[in-house]
Amino acid sequence: MAKTLRDLLAAIPVSDIVASAGDLTTPMGAPVVDSSHDIQPGGVFVARGGMSTDGHNFIGAAIAAGAAAIVGEADMASLPVPYIRVRNAQQAVGKLAAAYYGFPSRKLAVIGVTGTDGKTTTCHLLHSILTRADNMRPGYISTIAADFGDATAPTGLHVTTPSAPQVQANLAKMVKARLTHCILEMTSHGLAQGRLNGVDIDLAALTNVQHEHLDYHGSWAAYRDAKAIMFRMLADSWRKPNMPKTSIVNIDDPSADYFAALPASRVLRYGIQREADFRASDIQREAAGSRFRVCGHTLQLRLPGGFNIANALAAIAAARALGVEWDAIERGLFAVNLISGRMERIVAGQDFIAMVDFAHTPNALKSALTACRRMLADGGRLIAVMGSAGLRDVQKRRLMAETAAQLADFSILTAEDPRTESLADILEAMAQGCRAQGGSEGETFWRIPDRGWAIYQACQLARAGDLVIVCGKGHEQSMCFGATEFPWDDREALRSALAGAPLDTLPTADKPTYAAH
């Protein structure tokens, strides 16, 4: 039986509805969307404000495309279809979409994962574990892709959390595929913008809270509070039988007590430095991973870096909270030896290590470079290629460069999605960071605006036993200059450089500058 507009509106608090006009018994024969390009005949178009466009400007186009009802914030008169005026359309769209699909998250065990760094790795480790557990069929929605059991789909270019309608559609697809669990990455942007509204979660896991996205949130406290939305969602979510609402907190993170104090049926803590419910001990670091003990069990992780031990602990805590046996945890962790764009090695017969990593925050870069130094043999040098995004947190440009200057032998500063900002200004801010740490331009760091040439020059600079790491883009498939997304893959660029030629497909490629050898 088709849902009516009234059925969908029941998902929104009455206090959020300002006024309504038209027939609320109108049947809803197509999904709720917030883009007029996605409207299908019989669906609902939610007109919400945006950073660059206002959805109210597209109401006419949506009606022409067959929208059966409109939801918005403006005072609209005499529309030919029902119009519901709400206080905040952006916050309403997820709840409306959830109602259209029959609240799919209530039919799954949903694990939310948030944090500045490590979300994707934690999600994929947990998915690998749950795949090997009895009576569990997990899916996930991560930075890299959405997994529906027998099929996967990309989730976007620079967006970790898809739009609210996409999230609900993906959850409905998982229910239809008879999956039992969903592991869902939740970013601060996605949480603050209501893209996760309408999702009923059962476990909330935090990796860490570090310096990031202050351009959007305004302050570190506001950024932390955006992460906390996920934990408040946990307390407000639909309660499922035999599924206590559980928060999982990194005890080594400075914000651990803040998150542990948020309402939950139970709190589990994990960490390395402090006592915790799941604490790694007897850590033996290896070139391509580590061994450690947790709760009396010895586990092997085939991902490099101490930070990945913390990510594994988060996954272990979540798995145990779900009742997974240690055998499945052991097999699930061991099965993961690569996560796309995360400390991913590129091998082309060279006599030095070359890898790509998604590190685009000061903390992630510090962790990645620290892990790289452990991989170097005596006399080996660390060469880092990195940038900092335009129209994003300005403070981290200098912090990223300072981190590189402290931990790498050579740093090459280059483009990373400059967008509409001056690339030269971004690189100058980073150069100041390098100089502040004693770096000397032309000797320990260089500015090469074109990313393809920067990667090429890093490989030319490398000698036997060195390590080249290209940071910031990881798995991403595009680079933004102005308002245009140009196809780009750091792994392809690194392979091209190792083969002896820079990848020259970006707008900056016709004006290369060169590093000294």
Side-chain angles (χ1 to χ4, degrees):
M1 182 182 221
K3 294 179 176 64
T4 66
L5 179 57
R6 179 179 283 114
D7 293 332
L8 302 193
L9 294 176
I12 304 175
V14 173
S15 59
D16 290 351
I17 299 176
V18 178
S20 64
D23 184 3
L24 299 187
T25 65
T26 300
M28 299 290 100
V32 175
V33 299
D34 56 3
S35 169
S36 60
H37 297 294
D38 296 332
I39 195 71
Q40 298 176 36
V44 179
F45 174 62
V46 180
R48 59 178 182 80
M51 296 184 69
S52 58
T53 60
D54 186 340
H56 294 84
N57 297 330
F58 301 96
I59 289 177
I63 293 173
I70 305 293
V71 175
E73 299 173 11
D75 185 7
M76 307 288 292
S78 302
L79 291 182
V81 298
Y83 178 70
I84 311 302
R85 186 180 178 190
V86 297
R87 299 188 187 281
N88 190 320
Q90 181 171 273
Q91 295 295 324
V93 61
K95 298 172 184 177
L96 293 170
Y100 173 79
Y101 287 109
F103 301 99
S105 61
R106 297 178 182 178
K107 302 163 188 173
L108 298 160
V110 180
I111 304 96
V113 180
T114 196
T116 307
D117 306 312
K119 295 184 295 296
T120 299
T121 298
T122 299
C123 287
H124 285 256
L125 287 171
L126 180 56
H127 181 263
S128 180
I129 291 169
L130 299 189
T131 299
R132 289 158 178 81
D134 293 337
N135 303 316
M136 292 187 181
R137 295 196 67 222
Y140 61 77
I141 302 173
S142 79
T143 300
I144 298 172
D147 176 89
F148 305 105
D150 296 327
T152 59
T155 49
L157 298 174
H158 291 107
V159 180
T160 305
T161 305
S163 70
Q166 288 176 312
V167 169
Q168 296 299 329
N170 285 342
L171 291 171
K173 192 171 182 179
M174 291 180 186
V175 171
K176 186 177 181 180
R178 298 185 179 180
L179 301 190
T180 59
H181 294 68
C182 174
I183 306 157
L184 180 56
E185 272 193 58
M186 296 187 169
T187 65
S188 60
H189 283 77
L191 288 162
Q193 293 170 5
R195 284 184 257 153
L196 285 312
N197 286 2
V199 177
D200 290 282
I201 65 173
D202 303 289
L203 275 73
L206 174 77
T207 58
N208 50 56
V209 183
Q210 302 292 332
H211 191 288
E212 177 69 326
H213 298 313
L214 302 193
D215 58 303
Y216 179 82
H217 296 287
S219 69
W220 184 86
Y223 172 55
R224 181 196 63 184
D225 290 347
K227 297 289 189 187
I229 292 172
M230 184 182 78
F231 289 81
R232 296 191 176 97
M233 288 170 59
L234 181 74
D236 295 337
S237 286
W238 184 271
R239 295 194 173 272
K240 302 164 190 173
N242 303 315
M243 186 68 68
K245 301 296 183 180
T246 304
S247 62
I248 296 168
V249 178
N250 181 354
I251 194 66
D252 295 333
D253 189 83
S255 298
D257 291 343
Y258 170 84
F259 286 94
L262 296 174
S265 299
R266 61 177 172 176
V267 179
L268 298 177
R269 296 167 176 84
Y270 70 91
I272 300 172
Q273 300 169 11
R274 299 170 61 189
E275 286 298 326
D277 300 292
F278 299 90
R279 185 184 185 186
S281 63
D282 300 327
I283 297 172
Q284 302 174 36
R285 301 184 190 276
E286 303 167 355
S290 59
R291 288 180 183 272
F292 54 93
R293 287 181 64 78
V294 182
C295 300
H297 298 268
T298 299
L299 304 172
Q300 183 173 0
L301 180 65
R302 296 197 292 164
L303 297 176
F307 57 94
N308 276 324
I309 297 176
N311 295 333
L313 289 172
I316 292 167
R320 290 296 293 159
L322 292 167
V324 178
E325 298 295 332
W326 282 100
D327 176 66
I329 291 173
E330 181 179 351
R331 290 184 289 115
L333 288 183
F334 185 78
V336 181
N337 63 1
L338 172 67
I339 295 176
S340 181
R342 273 68 176 171
M343 301 296 281
E344 182 175 348
R345 290 200 185 198
I346 306 298
V347 179
Q350 76 276 10
D351 56 5
F352 56 90
I353 299 172
M355 59 174 50
V356 168
D357 190 67
F358 191 47
H360 61 285
T361 68
N363 181 67
L365 183 64
K366 179 181 178 180
S367 296
L369 296 183
T370 300
C372 287
R373 294 223 71 94
R374 292 180 178 275
M375 299 179 196
L376 287 171
D378 290 344
R381 306 172 305 168
L382 178 56
I383 304 165
V385 180
M386 50 173 287
S388 193
L391 302 183
R392 296 296 185 267
D393 190 344
V394 174
Q395 297 178 42
K396 77 173 186 179
R397 296 170 187 175
R398 183 184 181 95
L399 295 173
M400 295 278 287
E402 288 179 350
T403 299
Q406 291 167 352
L407 295 175
D409 296 291
F410 303 105
S411 303
I412 299 181
L413 313 178
T414 191
E416 181 193 312
D417 301 296
R419 299 184 172 88
T420 56
E421 279 203 68
S422 164
L423 176 55
D425 289 349
I426 293 173
L427 296 182
E428 172 57 27
M430 298 186 75
Q432 291 176 13
C434 286
R435 286 193 289 266
Q437 295 299 317
S440 175
E441 189 158 9
E443 295 182 4
T444 61
F445 78 92
W446 295 266
R447 282 180 267 188
I448 304 181
D450 183 72
R451 196 171 180 94
W453 279 97
I455 294 170
Y456 172 76
Q457 289 297 326
C459 293
Q460 291 295 301
L461 182 63
R463 64 193 186 198
D466 287 349
L467 190 156
V468 172
I469 183 168
V470 181
C471 296
K473 296 293 292 176
H475 66 285
E476 291 183 342
Q477 297 295 294
S478 71
M479 178 100 71
C480 187
F481 287 82
T484 303
E485 295 281 354
F486 292 85
W488 183 261
D489 186 327
D490 269 358
R491 294 161 298 187
E492 180 184 351
L494 187 49
R495 290 187 185 97
S496 181
L498 292 171
L503 187 62
D504 58 357
T505 58
L506 295 175
T508 47
D510 60 342
K511 294 179 285 188
T513 55
Y514 300 89
H517 291 181

